[in-house]
């Protein structure tokens, strides 16, 4: 069956059919899927992994990633790509399994939010050695690689300075994993803000968490039961922020008056329900759009050209 016969059969123009076959933009998602389904059913075209872009995230349940993935998927589908999403559950062993599977089965490119620092870097290098284009988002690594990131040092500084300007002098911090560069940078921004305002850094005011909601709740209990005159609380990721808020809302709302609280990236609906806190965030739609276009550029670029492109997004304070 030639192109004209196919176009007559499907009641579309040859140009539309050609765009679908060659993965070009300019066809609605619904029509594209209809045409692909017909071609695949009749063994007229193979939908291959060359047309598949993989997104790896550390936690499927985290609404922060959901908003970004929605925008990434929208842009990639407009350019004719299929999208596969993997969840590593913040676990480096899961991440290794996912990466090995991608290398075995192939992919046009990978969009990666890592679950660890140095160990994740090894997984990224495995993909690069297999000549699979890789772009990071949200979590940076300690070696040059394309990606879209928040200015995390400035975010940590801005958050801490905001609490200081509200009168806080003993600011507890719930950092999460300092093996992650974005958390490390936020923590260093916290330390720098203290120094700039002549406030001493006290390691006893670090209440460690593991990036999960439950650890935010536990950290909040430990802050309440501590012997320090804490007046401010800084939480460096969104799930731990939700954990802190859950504890206060379920146990003692007067704690909002006792502590000035500033967290990261909680969903808009939750922020609107909790007017007595501040948050640091960024446009998730912008991050998703920029990340999607970066992987498209990476796939199309001349492999002989070696350069590293990073896009740094400024934090937004609410």
């Amino acid at each position: 069956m030639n192109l004209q016969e196919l176009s007559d059969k499907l009641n579309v123009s040859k140009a539309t059919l050609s765009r679908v076959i060659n993965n070009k933009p300019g066809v609605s998602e619904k029509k594209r899927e209809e045409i692909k389904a017909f071609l695949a059913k009749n063994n007229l075209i193979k939908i291959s992994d060359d047309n598949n872009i993989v997104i790896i995230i550390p936690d499927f349940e985290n609404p922060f990633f959901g908003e970004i993935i929605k925008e990434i998927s929208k842009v990639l589908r407009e350019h004719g790509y299929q999208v596969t999403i993997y969840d590593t559950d913040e676990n480096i062993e899961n991440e290794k399994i996912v990466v090995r599977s991608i290398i075995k089965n192939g992919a046009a490119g990978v969009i990666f939010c890592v679950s660890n620092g140095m160990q994740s870097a090894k997984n990224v290098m495995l993909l690069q050695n297999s000549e699979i284009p890789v772009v990071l988002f949200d979590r940076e690594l300690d070696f040059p690689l394309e990606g879209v990131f928040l200015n995390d040092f400035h975010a940590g500084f801005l958050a801490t300075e905001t609490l200081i300007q509200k009168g806080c002098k003993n600011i507890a911090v719930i950092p999460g994993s300092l093996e992650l560069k974005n958390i490390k940078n936020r923590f260093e921004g916290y330390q720098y803000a203290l120094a700039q305002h002549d406030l001493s850094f006290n390691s006893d005011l670090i209440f460690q968490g593991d990036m999960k909601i439950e650890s935010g709740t536990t950290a909040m209990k430990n802050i309440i039961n501590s012997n320090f005159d804490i007046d401010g609380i800084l939480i460096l990721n969104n799930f731990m922020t939700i954990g802190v808020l859950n504890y206060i809302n379920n146990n003692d709302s007067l704690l909002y008056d006792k502590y000035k609280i500033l967290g990261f990236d909680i969903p808009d609906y939750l922020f609107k329900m909790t007017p007595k806190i501040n948050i640091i965030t960024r446009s998730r739609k912008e991050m998703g759009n920029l990340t999607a276009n970066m992987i498209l550029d990476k796939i199309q670029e001349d492999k002989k050209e070696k350069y590293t492109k990073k896009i740094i997004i400024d934090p937004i304070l609410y």
Side-chain angles (χ1 to χ4, degrees):
M1 191 178 295
N2 61 32
L3 197 63
Q4 183 62 61
E5 291 170 331
L6 274 174
S7 66
D8 291 342
K9 180 76 173 177
L10 292 163
N11 196 29
V12 297
S13 68
K14 287 193 293 183
T16 296
L17 187 57
S18 178
R19 289 190 189 102
V20 173
I21 292 172
N22 294 294
N23 300 317
K24 300 296 183 182
V27 182
S28 71
E29 185 175 343
K30 180 180 179 182
K31 180 58 67 175
R32 184 183 298 276
E33 293 305 317
E34 287 176 0
I35 293 171
K36 280 185 175 182
F38 176 87
L39 296 176
K41 181 180 178 181
N42 291 278
N43 296 316
L44 295 171
I45 187 171
K46 180 178 181 291
I47 307 300
S48 73
D49 288 311
D50 291 338
N51 190 40
N52 183 47
I53 292 177
V54 176
I55 304 173
I56 305 174
I57 58 171
D59 196 334
F60 230 152
E61 294 182 346
N62 194 324
F64 169 77
F65 294 114
E67 293 177 63
I68 294 174
I69 288 171
K70 182 177 180 180
E71 184 64 19
I72 291 174
S73 300
K74 174 178 173 289
V75 173
L76 295 182
R77 289 189 179 113
E78 286 172 353
H79 286 78
Y81 285 96
Q82 301 173 80
V83 176
T84 303
I85 304 168
Y86 287 99
D87 172 20
T88 64
D89 196 30
E90 298 280 8
N91 183 295
I92 192 64
E93 294 304 318
N94 292 343
E95 189 179 280
K96 287 179 184 177
I97 292 169
V98 168
V99 167
R100 288 171 185 157
S101 175
I102 294 168
I103 292 170
K104 179 181 178 180
N105 296 309
V110 174
I111 294 172
F112 207 153
C113 185
V114 299
S115 61
N116 194 277
M118 289 305 299
Q119 295 183 74
S120 287
K122 294 176 183 177
N123 290 330
V124 170
M125 285 188 278
L126 287 174
L127 291 168
Q128 290 179 312
N129 292 340
S130 300
E131 297 189 344
I132 297 174
V134 184
V135 163
L136 302 180
F137 76 95
D138 187 53
R139 298 179 180 180
E140 195 173 356
L141 291 171
D142 279 320
F143 70 92
L145 190 71
E146 287 85 352
V148 182
F149 312 104
L150 180 68
N151 187 335
D152 288 297
F153 179 87
H154 181 55
F157 177 87
L158 176 62
T160 308
E161 187 170 65
T162 299
L163 291 173
I164 293 170
Q165 289 170 348
K166 287 176 173 284
C168 298
K169 296 186 181 300
N170 295 295
I171 302 171
V173 61
I174 307 174
S177 174
L178 292 172
E179 292 185 9
L180 292 169
K181 188 173 181 180
N182 67 327
I183 298 299
K184 181 181 177 183
N185 286 347
R186 292 174 193 179
F187 183 73
E188 290 176 351
Y190 158 77
Q191 291 178 301
Y192 184 67
L194 293 178
Q196 289 296 104
H197 290 271
D198 298 319
L199 295 174
S200 299
F201 168 69
N202 184 351
S203 61
D204 289 329
L205 297 183
I206 301 173
F207 294 82
Q208 195 52 263
D210 65 2
M211 313 294 282
K212 299 287 189 177
I213 291 175
E214 294 77 10
S215 70
T217 299
T218 300
M220 187 64 210
K221 293 177 185 177
N222 293 335
I223 288 171
I224 293 169
N225 294 325
S226 72
N227 294 320
F228 299 98
D229 188 21
I230 294 168
D231 50 15
I233 302 172
L234 173 62
I235 314 110
L236 297 185
N237 97 318
N238 69 328
F239 258 11
M240 295 188 301
T241 301
I242 292 171
V244 168
L245 300 183
N246 282 350
Y247 180 85
I248 295 174
N249 292 338
N250 292 329
N251 292 277
D252 186 0
S253 60
L254 292 178
L255 292 171
Y256 287 122
D257 297 320
K258 182 176 181 179
Y259 303 108
K260 300 292 189 293
I261 299 172
L262 198 151
F264 271 73
D265 290 319
I266 62 174
D268 291 341
Y269 75 87
L270 184 57
F271 176 62
K272 290 174 182 176
M273 293 169 60
T274 318
K276 291 188 176 182
I277 71 165
N278 293 103
I279 61 165
I280 293 286
T281 188
R282 85 299 300 269
S283 169
R284 269 85 85 182
K285 183 174 182 179
E286 178 188 18
M287 178 166 272
N289 188 283
L290 290 169
T291 303
N293 281 287
M294 185 176 285
I295 192 65
L296 293 172
D297 290 344
K298 182 77 173 169
I299 291 168
Q300 296 298 323
E301 77 179 27
D302 185 344
K303 291 184 180 180
K304 294 179 181 179
E305 293 183 21
K306 298 293 181 183
Y307 71 97
T308 300
K309 180 181 180 182
K310 288 185 182 180
I311 298 176
I312 307 298
I313 297 175
D314 289 328
I316 301 169
L317 171 68
Y318 289 114

